[in-house]
Amino acid sequence: MTTRYSCFLAALFGVFLGGLLVWHILLPDRARSEVENRTLAQFPDFSWESLRDGSFTKGVEDYFADQFPLRDDWTGLKARTEQLLGKREFKGVYLCGETLIAKVEPPRDGLEEKNLSRVARLAERAEVPVYLGLIPSAAEIWQDRLPKGAESWDQAAFIARVAEVKGVEPVDFLAALRDRAGEAVFYRTDHHWTTLGAYYGYAALMEALGRGEEVLGPDAFKPRVSPHAGEFQGTLYSQSGVHWLAPDAIEFWAEAEGLSVTSWRGGTPEEAELYDFSHLLGKDKYSAFLGGNQPLCVIKNPEGTGKLLLIRDSYSDALAPFLALHFEEVHLLDLRYYRYSAAGYAGENGMDQIAVVYSVPNFITDRNLALLAR
């Protein structure tokens, strides 16, 4: 390589970097990445204190990384290049053909056992039966799809521990999903179960609650895909950088007719919907179920019987519409936002049964379950 050619390449690279810098300066900063489904860093405020402690320079570094021109395209290109080099794990997500499956890390510091004991404390305090259902993730149900040698924590062994929790009745979501592992019970680009998966979960929960004979068969529903529901690119799509997979479709099975929904999203009751289709226009389409995360949601059905309290994570958003077809009232508490006594709530509102329903990855990492001991 001649000196002249080397200088030419160096100059060309310098022009390229300079062009990117000018492009970066001219482009308006973005507040959010829809592809990654997260807020992007903004240029930090300067102070001598932040300069001394390094937070300013770290903020500048994050700002340039997040606001880099065509960032979404570059992250996708990076993942595609790594795939061609044989990589199968991308930021804690396994690429399994046309499916993304989140890796489940082994629990740390004994939090999973503490949370089991906290559910037992709830059972001691509550005056009604308490059930615990742990939903295995796709890494457990679809183990055969994982890349060869991929690490997979034994969720089934932990779920078996539920039967040992004093005063608590187990819900067998594991068997319900294992028996249907050949079906689309999880999304390909998201960590949640699909509406089909939630249907099998509904049947398992109703069986545990002693109402299995009421379960409606699949033929009782007319699954429908609303506009934009077939363009779902979920959390694993955003997290991994694997941006070339076809989007998922979201189905809605249960009918909302005759049901009333009340949300305490802002601390006061407001009318809500079983399906909020406005979310299908944005990135987080899964929030079309009940409108997404909220401290408290109550679904009432004048034709139903009994009152059920669900202490839940986001998996129950797709589960609750099925349960609402049978219960007079279904109350959903999210401990990330509801900070009061769950046992006290059950007593004050005349609940007949309490079901703690969590996905395994959330249950073994959620410190908010400490609130169950109140």
Side-chain angles (χ1 to χ4, degrees):
M1 183 182 294
T2 65
T3 302
R4 179 178 297 180
Y5 184 63
S6 298
C7 291
F8 169 76
L9 289 180
L12 184 64
F13 186 63
V15 171
F16 174 72
L17 291 180
L20 284 178
L21 178 61
V22 172
W23 192 2
H24 176 93
I25 294 172
L26 294 178
L27 281 176
D29 292 341
R30 295 190 300 159
R32 185 173 180 79
S33 168
E34 289 300 318
V35 171
E36 296 180 75
N37 196 26
R38 69 178 182 88
T39 301
L40 298 177
Q42 304 298 303
F43 196 84
D45 294 327
F46 174 81
S47 70
W48 291 112
E49 179 62 30
S50 65
L51 184 62
R52 279 193 297 269
D53 64 22
S55 60
F56 177 76
T57 52
K58 177 63 168 59
V60 172
E61 180 182 335
D62 292 342
Y63 166 75
F64 277 101
D66 276 8
Q67 300 295 340
F68 195 82
L70 299 179
R71 172 186 168 82
D72 295 338
D73 299 286
W74 286 111
T75 55
L77 179 61
K78 176 177 180 292
R80 177 63 92 175
T81 302
E82 290 174 339
Q83 183 209 17
L84 294 175
L85 294 175
K87 186 174 181 179
R88 291 297 179 267
E89 182 186 341
F90 304 84
K91 299 180 182 179
V93 178
Y94 292 119
L95 175 60
C96 311
E98 294 299 308
T99 300
L100 297 172
I101 298 178
K103 179 181 180 181
V104 179
E105 298 285 356
R108 304 179 186 279
D109 65 20
L111 181 59
E112 77 285 6
E113 294 297 329
K114 292 178 184 177
N115 283 344
L116 288 177
S117 68
R118 288 158 178 167
V119 178
R121 289 286 301 277
L122 171 65
E124 291 175 2
R125 293 172 178 271
E127 299 179 357
V128 297
V130 174
Y131 303 80
L132 175 57
L134 298 181
I135 305 166
S137 76
E140 182 68 33
I141 301 302
W142 287 344
Q143 284 190 46
D144 59 329
R145 304 189 188 189
L146 296 176
K148 185 177 181 180
E151 297 179 5
S152 179
W153 182 66
D154 192 350
Q155 299 178 54
F158 178 66
I159 291 173
R161 293 272 293 106
V162 174
E164 304 170 13
V165 180
K166 186 177 179 180
V168 174
E169 295 293 330
V171 182
D172 197 355
F173 290 127
L174 176 62
L177 294 174
R178 265 184 176 170
D179 291 345
R180 304 289 184 172
E183 302 178 34
V185 291
F186 291 96
Y187 292 108
R188 293 178 301 96
T189 68
D190 191 73
H191 64 287
H192 290 103
W193 56 10
T194 60
T195 307
L196 177 64
Y199 168 79
Y200 294 130
Y202 140 75
L205 180 55
M206 289 290 286
E207 185 69 32
L209 296 175
R211 300 179 62 166
E213 73 284 352
E214 299 178 29
V215 172
L216 299 171
D219 294 342
F221 302 95
K222 295 180 179 179
R224 62 195 188 282
V225 177
S226 295
H228 305 288
E231 304 169 4
F232 181 38
Q233 296 166 325
T235 54
L236 304 183
Y237 176 96
S238 301
Q239 175 184 334
S240 66
V242 177
H243 296 160
W244 57 84
L245 299 186
D248 283 293
I250 301 177
E251 292 185 344
F252 303 92
W253 285 30
E255 297 293 337
E257 185 177 356
L259 306 178
S260 66
V261 182
T262 304
S263 170
W264 276 258
R265 198 178 306 278
T268 56
E270 58 185 57
E271 185 178 347
E273 300 176 37
L274 193 69
Y275 304 124
D276 185 349
F277 294 128
S278 67
H279 286 279
L280 298 180
L281 300 175
K283 169 64 177 174
D284 187 13
K285 291 177 171 55
Y286 186 80
S287 288
F289 295 104
L290 299 179
N293 297 330
Q294 52 194 295
L296 172 63
C297 180
V298 177
I299 310 172
K300 293 185 178 182
N301 178 3
E303 302 297 323
T305 58
K307 296 183 179 182
L308 174 66
L309 173 61
L310 275 183
I311 299 173
R312 39 74 76 176
D313 63 9
S314 55
Y315 278 63
S316 287
D317 290 344
L319 174 66
F322 293 110
L323 300 172
L325 301 177
H326 302 276
F327 287 88
E328 179 185 358
E329 295 182 14
V330 177
H331 295 230
L332 296 95
L333 287 187
D334 191 326
L335 298 179
R336 291 172 295 178
Y337 314 106
Y338 187 89
R339 314 302 294 177
Y340 304 101
S341 167
Y345 181 92
E348 293 167 6
N349 291 276
M351 297 293 104
D352 299 307
Q353 295 166 304
I354 301 174
V356 180
V357 176
Y358 266 71
S359 66
V360 171
N362 284 339
F363 188 86
I364 65 177
T365 57
D366 191 349
R367 300 188 180 278
N368 294 304
L369 285 162
L371 297 169
L372 294 179
R374 289 185 176 181

